[in-house]
Amino acid sequence: MIDTLFSGLIHGSAYALVAVGMSLIFGVTNVANFAQGSIVAVGIMVAWWLGSSLGWGILPTILVVIVVTGLLGLLMNTAVIAPLEGRKPIAALLATIGIGQILDNGLQIIFGPQTRPFPKLLPTYNLQLFGVRFGTSDVVMVALTVVLMLALWAVLKYGKTGQAIRATSQDPEAARQMGIPVKSIRNISFVIGSVLAGISGIFVGLFNANINPMNGGTIGMTAFVAATIGGLGSIPGAVVGGLVLGVVESLGISWLGDGAHDLITFGALLLILIVKPQGLLGPKNDVKSEPLTGTFLGGGRPIALPWWANAGLAVALLATPFFFSDYLAGVGTQIAIYAIAAVGLTLISGSAGQTILGMAGPLAAGAYASAILTTQLHWPFLIALPAAGIVAAIAASILTFPVWKLSGHYVAIATIGVGAVMVAIIRLWEPLTKGSLGIQGIPFPTIFGQVLFTQQMQYLLDIVILLFALVVVMRIRSSHLGRVFEAVGSDQEASQALGVRTSAYKSLAYALAAFFTGLAGALLAHQYTYIDPTIFTSSASVLILTIIVLGGMNSPLGAVLGSIILIGGPELLRIVPDARIIVYGVLLVLVILFRPQGLFARKG
């Protein structure tokens, strides 16, 4: 038990360092920085290179990591985040996701994707106390965390820069009128936050012993959970949240096994959001600015095509399977599947104005539901397909039911937890889902006795389902229900004043989106014929959201265009396959900066 608690404190210290940076940035700029984990990875890989290739010691390595990550934080804010000031903060959040993609895949190109041993910059497992073995690295990690936190506290409380940071956090406009250089203060916040993440990366490498460029993603997301548990914007809360989460994770994993990691982490997130959404030490006042709610389209409106143009596009789509080769049809199936999920997402993230960051959960629920119904209960595909959509909608609705009483960004954060918890339950429910082994032998779709065993047949099925999704979503948007969704998304407070139950309508829009995502998951399962939990990661959620950002969050047809570009795009970049995700990240950032309404939408 002692060694478990000690391990939890070490992990918690790393989470705390990253979470403090996140909370500082959030408090000053109102931006949830999802690139923070990627900065951790930068710290890991720079330290690895300095220690293994150049043989540097711990002190010069820390200094170089501070410089590199500090400059990255400054560049991130000045080049991408600062130009988005004045827009809804969801724009900046999505931009940080794009920056994270650029950094993660840039590191893979520079250093290679393989796992490698981390250099022994400090001794590990060279000490023992109460039967617990630990290292000098662990002692330095905890001590450094304490020193850095105390120093940051002292600067914020007594230093002029710290007082300026606090003033900017409380009211940027008032701070600006008092002569505080708000722009410079925001730069400083990003630099400090990035430096803390980079330093954390060094000790994460020492603790884990083996590292790769993608290690930062998990740390970053867990640290975000820790910051939320402690209270976004609260520095002491971030420390407490990191330590508490580290200990809870270690205890939970020791009792339930490694497979329970996500269930524990994101289950704790959902629990704290339901019980105390402001976090353990967060401010008690309600959030006035909703950083993750509403669209950032600036009045963007989807482009409306005449009926004959829509009919022509439908005919053209239905014709493509008869002209495509096996290879192109295989690419087409992926485009259509993700387009189906994205078309549904436009109802909630576009019309109803609530950003959803966890659609991998409904995607997994639909895939597993159809796979189990057809392989274990031997249901026909045509019955299992809609059933999978219904299961995904019900599961997502049940898990999110308690969180719709919350306000804007808390709901969006909760959907991260919902998606992760759904996949974690699938992984742990081994008697039904086969756990991490996955489900094999999923049959190809069968329609009226005809097995769709070729890529062209499956592509034609996907196109038919995509057209069905487009027709239904467009009819909903033009109906009274769709107009209510639009009203809720445009001005939630005004809608509530008129007696509209905004949370109920957002919940309904989310259920509809989950239904279509469940259909997409079912199609994916039957065309892969094998699924396991590793398919349904947070990257899938980000991809679906990025598709509608690119095409236009309020545009179903834009979702199809976004899927064509983001899923079909890699084929245009086959000559540089390692760079394609970087291109995605760059494209996402450029769209947010210069075409925020999306490619298939016009300014209002």
Side-chain angles (χ1 to χ4, degrees), residues 112-478:
Q114 68 272 15
T115 298
R116 69 213 72 192
F118 194 80
K120 301 293 185 183
L121 299 175
L122 286 172
T124 56
Y125 300 105
N126 60 316
L127 303 173
Q128 185 170 340
L129 184 65
F130 301 118
V132 178
R133 294 197 65 83
F134 56 97
T136 303
S137 59
D138 300 325
V139 176
V140 173
M141 169 77 172
V142 174
L144 188 61
T145 300
V146 173
V147 170
L148 288 174
M149 295 306 99
L150 289 175
L152 183 59
W153 170 80
V155 169
L156 290 175
K157 188 169 180 64
Y158 300 109
K160 288 186 177 180
T161 300
Q163 292 172 359
I165 289 174
R166 287 162 53 202
T168 303
S169 175
Q170 292 172 6
D171 192 330
E173 288 305 317
R176 193 176 279 113
Q177 293 172 10
M178 293 296 293
I180 293 174
V182 172
K183 184 176 180 180
S184 298
I185 293 301
R186 287 176 170 168
N187 285 337
I188 291 171
S189 299
F190 265 91
V191 169
I192 294 174
S194 298
V195 165
L196 292 176
I199 293 173
S200 172
I202 299 173
F203 291 94
V204 168
L206 283 167
F207 187 84
N208 290 344
N210 293 298
I211 52 94
N212 67 64
M214 299 304 291
N215 283 151
T218 301
I219 295 291
M221 185 55 69
T222 307
F224 179 72
V225 173
T228 305
I229 289 174
L232 276 172
S234 168
I235 303 300
V239 176
V240 172
L243 295 175
V244 168
L245 186 58
V247 172
V248 169
E249 275 188 356
S250 290
L251 292 174
I253 290 172
S254 70
W255 295 334
L256 302 175
D258 288 339
H261 176 274
D262 285 353
L263 182 62
I264 295 166
T265 301
F266 293 99
L269 172 66
L270 289 176
L271 181 62
I272 198 69
L273 286 174
I274 293 168
V275 175
K276 198 175 188 300
Q278 291 85 3
L280 297 176
L281 299 179
K284 296 181 180 180
N285 58 299
D286 292 333
V287 175
K288 294 181 174 60
S289 177
E290 303 292 7
L292 307 184
T293 191
T295 66
F296 62 93
L297 307 181
R301 294 183 293 114
I303 296 172
L305 299 178
W307 69 267
W308 54 266
N310 286 324
L313 287 174
V315 171
L317 279 174
L318 288 170
T320 53
F322 299 98
F323 297 98
F324 277 12
S325 64
D326 283 350
Y327 174 73
L328 289 177
V331 175
T333 59
Q334 297 300 303
I335 292 173
I337 285 172
Y338 279 95
I340 292 166
V343 165
L345 189 59
T346 62
L347 286 174
I348 176 66
S349 290
S351 296
Q354 179 62 65
T355 302
I356 302 295
L357 300 171
M359 292 309 286
L363 189 73
Y368 272 87
S370 190
I372 291 168
L373 290 173
T374 52
T375 59
Q376 299 184 26
L377 300 181
H378 307 292
W379 282 26
F381 171 77
L382 284 178
I383 298 177
L385 178 64
I390 293 170
V391 167
I394 292 174
S397 297
I398 290 174
L399 286 174
T400 55
F401 175 75
V403 306
W404 292 110
K405 66 179 182 178
L406 305 175
S407 55
H409 77 263
Y410 295 123
V411 178
I413 293 170
T415 64
I416 300 175
V418 168
V421 166
M422 290 175 75
V423 176
I425 290 172
I426 287 171
R427 181 181 287 109
L428 292 173
W429 202 348
E430 292 188 7
L432 184 64
T433 65
K434 304 297 188 294
S436 298
L437 296 176
I439 298 178
Q440 304 180 39
I442 303 170
F444 288 126
T446 301
I447 307 294
F448 303 123
Q450 174 65 54
V451 179
L452 308 184
F453 60 90
T454 69
Q455 294 283 9
Q456 288 86 349
M457 290 178 176
Q458 294 172 5
Y459 178 38
L460 180 59
L461 171 65
D462 295 341
I463 291 297
V464 171
I465 302 300
L466 174 58
L467 291 174
F468 164 76
L470 284 168
V471 170
V472 172
V473 169
M474 287 179 174
R475 290 295 297 271
I476 290 174
R477 286 175 54 84
S478 63

Side-chain angles (χ1 to χ4, degrees), residues 592-603:
I592 292 168
L593 285 172
F594 302 111
R595 183 74 182 178
Q597 69 269 29
L599 298 179
F600 203 77
R602 60 170 64 95
K603 291 184 179 180

